[in-house]
Amino acid sequence: MFDDLSNGTSPKGNPPELSRDEELHAYREMLLIRRFEEKAGQLYGMGQIGGFCHLYIGQEAVVVGMQMAVREGDQVITAYRDHGHMLVCGMDPKGVMAELTGRRGGYSRGKGGSMHMFSVEKNFFGGHGIVGAQVPLGTGLAFANKYRGNGNVSLTYYGDGAANQGQVYEAFNMAELWKLPVVYVVENNKYGMGTSINRASALTNLSQRGASFNIPGRQVDGMDVRAVKEAGEEAVDWARSGKGPYILEMLTYRYRGHSMSDPAKYRSKEEVDKMRHEHDPIEMVRQRLIASGRATEDDLKAIDKEIRAIVNEAAEFAQTDPEPDVAELYTDVVRV
Amino acid sequence: MATQVLMPALSPTMEEGKLAKWVKAEGDDVRSGDVIAEIETDKATMEVEAVDEGKIGKILVPAGTEGVKVNTPIAIILAEGEEAGASLNGAGKTNGAHAPAEAATGGGEAARAPVDVRVKETREDAAPAAWDAASEIPEGTELVQTTMREALRDAMAEEMRRDGDVFVMGEEVAEYQGAYKITQGLLDEFGARRVVDTPITEAGFAGLGVGAAFAGLRPIVEFMTFNFAMQAIDHIINSAAKTHYMSGGQIDCPIVFRGPNGAAARVGAQHSQEYSAWYAHVPGLKVIAPSTAADAKGLLKAAIRDPNPVVFLENEILYGIAGPVPKGDDWLVPIGKAKIARPGKDVTIVSWSRGMVYALDAAKQLEAEGIDAEVIDLRTLRPLDIDTVLASVRKTNRIVTVEEAWPVCSVGSEIVAQVVAKAFDYLDAPPTKVSGEDVPMPYAANLEKLALPNAQKVVEAVKAVCYRS
């Protein structure tokens, strides 16, 4: 899995340690995403969630580490595997889950669904369903930051599948040309739907895809929240200081299928199991906390319990909240 | 042998221009490729190069002469040893100069930037004849004769002065002053921060503009023509039009996509498509297609202020046409309101943009034959002001729609469907569409003419619904 790192540009060796509070924060945030997604999978199986539902399980360290590297006002935009991004931006799990079930208390009042959620208040700009389209959009957020001189940075996420879309490179070119404050975070989970990166990409080191625009890039162990945070800080500082865009390739892995309807015939169960058992982002933090004596099993159990309560409350709300009023069919088509 | 240098054309639609400057004088030696003169139209300046070697024998058109017709001899180049006044060899009477498109477009992008769109105002299909400015403009308002090109530029400049969040971006909008000179002067006034030259990257800059609009800026995105916006249509529809709805009303997208739409002249199928129906189909967009300078200005200002994504379809052939525009910076035209451009009682003709030229011309011809046509300029295609159309049809009992677009699933089709559904009992004849032909635009002059509607086709359609043919 991390063979790529040997020819990458990321420094070898262990990333800087986190403080106790940071480790606990990362543990808690990643666990929230994991439990939330497991619950979403359950609700999907029960028919409570319809359509497409793309789970983030396995990739939690990426958004949690990146969010630890930014400051208030920085924006986040991504494609449709977006539940984790929303939760780390501080969006209410109840509102996210209720959108998944298409209820009126959802962030888009039930009109967006899993792939289309936004929170201007939390600087989360979606939630986009067209592979790669969010990259120019996120670059536009950065353009607005520069236009206003507000010092904010746009975190623009995309996957290894989107990395082959032409508009990604149109955006790279303008971002570097105009030195826009954007960090491109490519979440390389090794599969664009059912096609492995080796079958889809001529150059599989996605951190180098900015080379022809002179955009620096790094490969990062996206399963290690410490490595993500450290790389995120370097990239965000670069962008914020006016040097233009930066590409971070997060080497990560999704445990679940592309979407809930994925039969997963394209990879072996052993591959998935090996990743879960040897590189699980949450388990690695848990083991460090216990081994260092910074937390006890009981401390972590208390966090688990608290997270389960939050997720259960969200699920309960998402199943009992009414569907949108039928009058909502024609609202919000245009701003009046 | 002596060779005549002829006034070159900068574009297929140019008929005349100004001979701005002679770089060479009589008696000067010239070599192939030397610049001998500069010519100008209202939107471009270009150098005239010598093709043959020789000596400038005589300058026939002095510098500063306006209105020099294309193909007029402007100078005579003498071959070695010839004297001024040497008789012109018949076979040598060729154009001794040529005007490379690169000189005018600056980037070798001749196909993307037909460089001149000057249309003489006396031209047969020029200014819609019967536009009734007084119907909307308060009495006593001072009117200034303005081309649509200037009206569009003024609209942007005024809104940029009014709101610091408004900026314009696109290919050649800044230093080149606009491929069609619509953004002329904006860079000088507002600077490169707000007048942004983009690379040739439609999907990229359309998406970037939408992202900036999500963040609260008010971009005006110029497409050099809407033909190139097909590269970006995913962002116009999936990103701009749908996000307000998909976000439950949280995200606004105050952006204007504007540029010339439809056929210019002799630029072939890929540069001659009319997109009204494509965008009018999409909930979440507003779609505007004005036919007069006053409407262009008032509607573009309204579009820039609108909190929604607006597709603003201009027409290259109309850019050079002047009309009365209210003076001052507070002239707004409401989006979604059609205008009765010519009142009448016998038949309703509905059109927009360049179709209005044919519609009004036809109405004039029909008047001579005793048919009093009411002509409606839709101006906005979405939301469609169907009420104005229906009220007219209930009065006239007949309707003909006029558009340059293809006939299948067109805006005309939509109007006909709604009229049939909502005013069926008022109709005395089948609603009829006049449109472009159902073919990619041909290049040959005669075929192109056949592919487009014209006043005669409108006259015939009207006579048919009046049972007068």
Side-chain angles (χ1 to χ4, degrees):
Chain A
M1 150 86 190
F2 295 128
D3 297 347
D4 288 353
L5 275 175
S6 56
N7 7 315
T9 52
S10 195
K12 301 282 269 180
N14 284 333
E17 291 300 323
L18 300 181
S19 71
R20 177 178 183 272
D21 283 352
E22 286 170 335
E23 290 273 40
L24 284 169
H25 170 82
Y27 180 75
R28 191 183 177 287
E29 291 284 288
M30 290 194 287
L31 199 64
L32 173 63
I33 296 171
R34 175 77 50 99
R35 297 286 172 260
F36 183 96
E37 295 289 65
E38 287 166 353
K39 183 62 80 177
Q42 273 177 22
L43 293 180
Y44 192 92
M46 291 159 60
Q48 292 284 334
I49 296 173
F52 295 130
C53 185
H54 308 87
L55 300 180
Y56 198 64
I57 294 173
Q59 301 180 213
E60 296 91 343
V62 177
V63 290
V64 170
M66 284 306 298
Q67 212 58 19
M68 290 170 80
V70 299
R71 71 178 195 201
E72 183 78 27
D74 293 340
Q75 302 111 327
V76 171
I77 187 168
T78 187
Y80 45 72
R81 195 176 306 285
D82 55 357
H83 311 158
H85 303 65
M86 294 187 267
L87 295 173
V88 291
C89 284
M91 289 167 67
D92 182 352
K94 280 162 60 181
V96 178
M97 196 70 93
E99 189 61 40
L100 298 185
T101 55
R103 306 304 172 100
R104 63 177 59 175
Y107 265 94
S108 298
R109 307 216 291 247
K111 286 153 59 166
S114 164
M115 301 188 285
H116 310 298
M117 263 182 274
F118 307 81
S119 172
V120 175
E121 183 201 351
K122 301 292 184 188
N123 287 304
F124 179 72
F125 285 84
H128 295 272
I130 306 298
V131 173
Q134 78 279 9
V135 178
L137 295 172
T139 309
L141 297 172
F143 181 93
N145 291 338
K146 177 155 188 186
Y147 190 91
R148 291 185 160 139
N150 60 19
N152 293 333
V153 173
S154 160
L155 296 189
T156 298
Y157 290 83
Y158 58 102
D160 50 288
N164 295 320
Q165 280 280 25
Q167 60 180 316
V168 169
Y169 300 93
E170 298 190 22
F172 281 2
N173 182 48
M174 287 184 283
E176 178 65 24
L177 185 67
W178 298 333
K179 301 286 182 203
L180 301 181
V182 52
V183 174
Y184 297 112
V185 186
V186 48
E187 300 190 64
N188 179 359
N189 64 23
K190 303 196 76 170
Y191 295 93
M193 202 164 161
T195 303
S196 72
I197 184 164
N198 297 313
R199 292 201 300 123
S201 293
L203 174 69
T204 56
N205 184 331
L206 302 179
S207 73
Q208 298 307 302
R209 289 286 187 93
S212 60
F213 309 96
N214 205 25
I215 302 175
R218 266 179 73 178
Q219 280 190 321
V220 182
D221 178 353
M223 305 301 268
D224 185 342
V225 71
R226 301 169 303 176
V228 174
K229 175 175 177 284
E230 185 270 325
E233 283 168 346
E234 180 180 305
V236 168
D237 286 350
W238 175 276
R240 206 188 306 284
S241 66
K243 292 178 185 158
Y246 200 108
I247 297 169
L248 293 177
E249 180 186 3
M250 298 294 174
L251 297 165
T252 183
Y253 201 78
R254 69 170 149 75
Y255 298 171
R256 297 295 187 93
H258 165 72
S259 67
M260 290 301 293
S261 54
D262 180 352
K265 294 271 167 60
Y266 48 85
R267 62 184 183 185
S268 68
K269 193 169 179 303
E270 290 69 34
E271 177 182 307
V272 182
D273 284 346
K274 184 171 162 61
M275 195 58 61
R276 293 186 85 126
H277 293 126
E278 293 173 16
H279 290 285
D280 185 74
I282 301 174
E283 190 54 28
M284 288 195 290
V285 177
R286 207 184 82 85
Q287 284 175 8
R288 281 202 302 272
L289 279 164
I290 299 290
S292 64
R294 284 168 151 184
T296 64
E297 292 280 1
D298 283 348
D299 291 337
L300 299 184
K301 270 185 190 154
I303 293 174
D304 291 5
K305 200 176 161 196
E306 179 206 345
I307 295 294
R308 279 189 197 283
I310 291 169
V311 170
N312 286 336
E313 187 193 10
E316 177 67 19
F317 176 73
Q319 293 174 88
T320 53
D321 191 43
E323 290 188 308
D325 191 285
V326 292
E328 287 281 353
L329 180 62
Y330 277 101
T331 59
D332 306 321
V333 178
V334 292
R335 163 77 75 207
V336 284
Chain B
M1 81 193 92
T3 313
Q4 285 186 345
V5 179
L6 304 181
M7 180 73 172
L10 293 175
S11 80
T13 51
M14 173 177 162
E15 297 182 346
E16 61 176 41
K18 177 182 176 182
L19 207 161
K21 185 176 159 190
W22 281 104
V23 178
K24 300 282 186 186
E26 287 181 3
D28 284 357
D29 286 327
V30 291
R31 297 174 56 162
S32 175
D34 282 357
V35 174
I36 57 173
E38 286 176 12
I39 59 172
E40 256 175 46
T41 68
D42 55 345
K43 71 170 291 291
T45 302
M46 195 175 59
E47 293 169 337
V48 181
E49 292 176 8
V51 167
D52 298 323
E53 289 195 356
K55 190 189 287 285
I56 304 276
K58 192 162 178 55
I59 285 174
L60 304 170
V61 176
T65 308
E66 307 245 12
V68 182
K69 302 266 186 232
V70 167
N71 287 336
T72 306
I74 56 173
I76 291 171
I77 294 181
L78 302 172
E80 208 170 56
E82 280 182 326
E83 292 300 319
S87 66
L88 290 166
N89 180 313
K93 199 176 170 183
T94 55
N95 194 355
H98 75 132
E102 292 78 7
T105 61
E109 280 290 321
R112 301 175 65 94
V115 290
D116 183 76
V117 291
R118 172 141 180 136
V119 176
K120 269 193 61 190
E121 279 144 40
T122 52
R123 191 168 145 154
E124 193 183 14
D125 62 357
W131 183 61
D132 180 11
S135 65
E136 286 192 334
I137 300 169
E139 219 171 301
T141 305
E142 191 184 340
L143 297 172
V144 182
Q145 200 71 5
T146 310
T147 62
M148 186 180 280
R149 171 179 292 119
E150 293 160 341
L152 292 165
R153 192 264 321 273
D154 292 349
M156 287 189 280
E158 288 169 16
E159 293 307 301
M160 289 174 79
R161 280 174 213 132
R162 180 177 175 268
D163 182 348
D165 284 341
V166 178
F167 70 98
V168 58
M169 70 188 306
E171 295 155 7
E172 309 291 4
V173 298
E175 296 196 9
Y176 189 87
Q177 306 291 327
Y180 294 91
K181 291 287 177 281
I182 307 300
T183 52
Q184 189 150 34
L186 296 183
L187 176 65
D188 286 348
E189 179 172 355
F190 300 102
R193 174 173 167 266
R194 298 181 67 193
V195 185
V196 182
D197 273 331
T198 65
I200 300 168
T201 186
E202 281 86 6
F205 70 72
L208 190 151
V210 172
F214 287 171
L217 298 184
R218 304 182 89 87
I220 304 167
V221 171
E222 175 175 305
F223 292 114
M224 194 178 285
T225 82
F226 264 93
N227 300 289
F228 314 140
M230 272 212 277
Q231 294 274 352
I233 200 166
D234 177 61
H235 279 297
I236 299 172
I237 294 171
N238 271 318
S239 303
K242 295 180 184 174
T243 298
H244 187 67
Y245 192 84
M246 294 193 304
S247 68
Q250 273 193 82
I251 303 268
D252 286 341
C253 187
I255 190 168
V256 176
F257 300 103
R258 50 154 291 274
N261 172 53
R266 307 288 314 280
V267 291
Q270 291 183 333
H271 287 70
S272 304
Q273 194 170 333
E274 210 280 343
Y275 289 90
S276 293
W278 290 54
Y279 295 108
H281 184 66
V282 182
L285 292 180
K286 295 186 178 183
V287 183
I288 296 170
S291 74
T292 67
D295 283 345
K297 183 175 181 190
L299 281 164
L300 183 54
K301 286 166 66 76
I304 294 166
R305 294 185 196 186
D306 198 279
N308 296 288
V310 179
V311 172
F312 196 93
L313 303 170
E314 299 159 10
N315 186 289
E316 182 186 334
I317 304 291
L318 300 178
Y319 279 152
I321 296 177
V325 176
K327 195 175 180 178
D329 59 7
D330 55 358
W331 169 243
L332 290 167
V333 173
I335 296 171
K337 281 269 194 235
K339 180 177 71 182
I340 297 176
R342 182 192 193 281
K345 60 180 177 16
D346 296 332
V347 59
T348 301
I349 304 175
V350 177
S351 193
W352 61 94
S353 188
R354 196 181 171 203
M356 284 300 294
V357 175
Y358 314 125
L360 288 167
D361 188 3
K364 214 166 150 188
Q365 294 181 39
L366 289 160
E367 190 178 357
E369 301 190 39
I371 296 174
D372 183 16
E374 178 149 292
V375 182
I376 295 175
D377 185 351
L378 287 175
R379 306 192 290 187
T380 299
L381 304 176
R382 186 182 189 98
L384 187 64
D385 184 3
I386 197 67
D387 290 344
T388 296
V389 176
L390 292 172
S392 178
V393 170
R394 289 183 182 123
K395 183 173 72 174
T396 65
N397 314 114
R398 294 166 169 87
I399 181 166
V400 171
T401 62
V402 183
E403 61 194 320
E404 288 202 330
W406 289 318
V408 179
C409 303
S410 71
V411 173
S413 305
E414 173 64 19
I415 293 166
V416 168
Q418 291 207 38
V419 165
V420 168
K422 294 170 182 169
F424 187 77
D425 291 340
Y426 290 88
L427 289 169
D428 286 345
T432 299
K433 298 192 308 179
V434 174
S435 69
E437 297 300 321
D438 203 11
V439 296
M441 187 64 72
Y443 169 71
N446 63 328
L447 297 182
E448 184 183 61
K449 205 170 166 194
L450 283 174
L452 288 166
N454 57 40
Q456 196 48 42
K457 290 181 185 175
V458 179
V459 167
E460 283 158 21
V462 167
K463 284 185 178 173
V465 300
C466 293
Y467 304 113
R468 293 271 299 267
S469 47

